[in-house]
């Protein structure tokens, strides 16, 4: 009888020890994920989508990380609707709500870049749904990158306009001498249209045969060192 009691007590103690180990492991796991969540460089927002007659109309912020506030400048959003936090977003950026609503219902993740008019910012966004009518958006603000890309595009367009209409022949080359740009004046002087010479070796087209070897050496030296012909 006494033996049976001790066996029961030992079993209960063992069960309690295992339960405590499981609780400690869960607590450690939650702390690890909370630390990861808090220290992410990307913004993170966990939200519940609100529908009217099957159409996405709004969503409620359930949880956000510190990076969310730093990147967007939005504070104290948890528990609030996005239309409260960002007035006019539904009218200014209907596509954003449509995408979030689609992911929240279908469960299919999406990635995209979008200019959010209501915040006047460009975002890179990855969105997925952990369960129906809910979504998680992981994002970064890419406004400066977009501005740089636009400035580069405008600069390239200006350069192309200037070089295309220049009064001198201008030829663009890639190592070891392949033509990648050929302006109108080059067409006039050498007699080849741009679409015929692009991707061809300059030396085969416009360099006299007796100078080809020396021209190759000079061009190779230029691409390696930036030094001109000597």
């Amino acid at each position: 009888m006494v033996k049976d009691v001790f066996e029961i007590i030992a079993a209960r103690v063992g069960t309690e020890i295992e339960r405590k180990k499981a609780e400690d492991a869960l607590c450690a796991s939650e702390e690890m994920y909370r630390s990861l969540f808090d220290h992410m460089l990307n913004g993170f927002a966990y939200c519940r989508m609100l529908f009217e007659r099957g159409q996405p109309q709004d969503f409620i912020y359930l949880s956000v990380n510190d990076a969310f506030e730093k990147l967007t400048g939005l504070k104290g959003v948890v528990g609030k609707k996005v239309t409260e936090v960002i007035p006019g977003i539904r009218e200014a950026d209907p596509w954003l709500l449509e995408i979030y609503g689609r992911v929240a219902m279908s469960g299919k993740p999406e990635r995209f870049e979008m200019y959010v008019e209501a915040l006047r910012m460009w975002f890179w966004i990855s969105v997925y749904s952990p369960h129906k009518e809910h979504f998680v958006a992981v994002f970064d603000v890419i406004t400066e990158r977009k501005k740089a890309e636009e400035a580069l595009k405008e600069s390239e367009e200006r350069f192309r306009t200037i070089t295309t209409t220049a009064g001198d022949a201008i030829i663009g080359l890639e190592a070891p001498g392949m033509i990648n740009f050929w302006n109108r004046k080059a067409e006039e002087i050498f007699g080849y249209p741009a679409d015929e010479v692009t991707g061809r070796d300059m030396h085969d087209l416009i360099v006299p045969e007796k100078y080809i070897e020396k021209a190759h050496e000079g061009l190779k030296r230029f691409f390696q060192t930036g030094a001109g012909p000597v």
Side-chain angles (χ1 to χ4, degrees):
M1 182 67 178
V2 173
K3 180 181 177 182
D4 291 341
V5 170
F6 276 116
E7 287 178 351
I8 292 171
I9 292 173
R12 287 180 178 177
V13 169
T15 300
E16 183 63 22
I17 291 173
E18 291 303 315
R19 185 183 67 79
K20 188 68 171 73
K21 285 182 179 179
E23 287 178 353
D24 289 345
L26 178 60
C27 183
S29 177
E30 288 176 347
E31 287 179 359
M32 181 184 70
Y33 282 109
R34 171 55 62 179
S35 177
L36 176 64
F37 177 75
D38 289 339
H39 292 90
M40 284 176 63
L41 296 179
N42 293 118
F44 178 104
Y46 173 46
C47 308
R48 178 166 62 88
M49 202 77 211
L50 302 177
F51 296 87
E52 290 182 13
R53 293 187 290 275
Q55 297 300 313
Q57 296 298 316
D58 213 333
F59 60 83
I60 298 174
Y61 291 102
L62 301 180
S63 181
V64 300
N65 67 348
D66 290 343
F68 173 95
E69 296 186 348
K70 291 176 182 177
L71 291 171
T72 66
L74 302 173
K75 308 291 184 181
V77 304
V78 174
K80 295 180 181 178
K81 297 178 181 178
V82 70
T83 50
E84 297 176 64
V85 176
I86 314 173
I89 189 171
R90 186 162 51 202
E91 294 74 25
D93 303 287
W95 291 110
L96 184 63
L97 269 70
E98 182 175 321
I99 294 170
Y100 285 164
R102 182 166 64 237
V103 172
M105 289 301 291
S106 70
K108 295 180 180 178
E110 296 190 29
R111 292 182 180 181
F112 56 95
E113 292 181 359
M114 175 178 284
Y115 182 73
V116 178
E117 182 67 37
L119 292 175
R120 298 187 181 278
M121 293 179 180
W122 272 97
F123 290 87
W124 168 88
I125 302 173
S126 177
V127 57
Y128 67 94
S129 176
H131 46 274
K132 197 168 185 180
E133 297 187 1
H134 292 71
F135 68 89
V136 170
V138 179
F139 66 88
D140 195 9
V141 175
I142 57 171
T143 304
E144 292 305 314
R145 193 197 85 192
K146 283 293 184 178
K147 286 181 179 178
E149 289 176 354
E150 187 60 31
L152 178 61
K153 182 180 177 181
E154 291 176 0
S155 176
E156 289 175 342
E157 288 176 353
R158 285 196 300 270
F159 174 77
R160 185 165 293 276
T161 299
I162 292 169
T163 54
T164 298
T165 59
D168 297 315
I170 299 177
I171 302 169
L173 300 174
E174 297 176 4
M178 297 301 163
I179 297 168
N180 61 16
F181 182 79
W182 185 268
N183 74 345
R184 293 173 188 169
K185 198 63 179 180
E187 289 183 342
E188 293 177 16
I189 294 174
F190 298 108
Y192 299 103
D195 58 353
E196 277 189 22
V197 301
T198 301
R200 295 181 63 182
D201 191 322
M202 173 193 73
H203 303 89
D204 297 336
L205 293 171
I206 62 175
V207 179
E209 187 174 350
K210 62 180 180 179
Y211 298 120
I212 287 180
E213 185 176 349
K214 187 173 182 180
H216 268 297
E217 291 175 357
L219 193 62
K220 182 179 179 181
R221 182 170 58 252
F222 173 77
F223 277 114
Q224 289 176 342
T225 67
V230 294

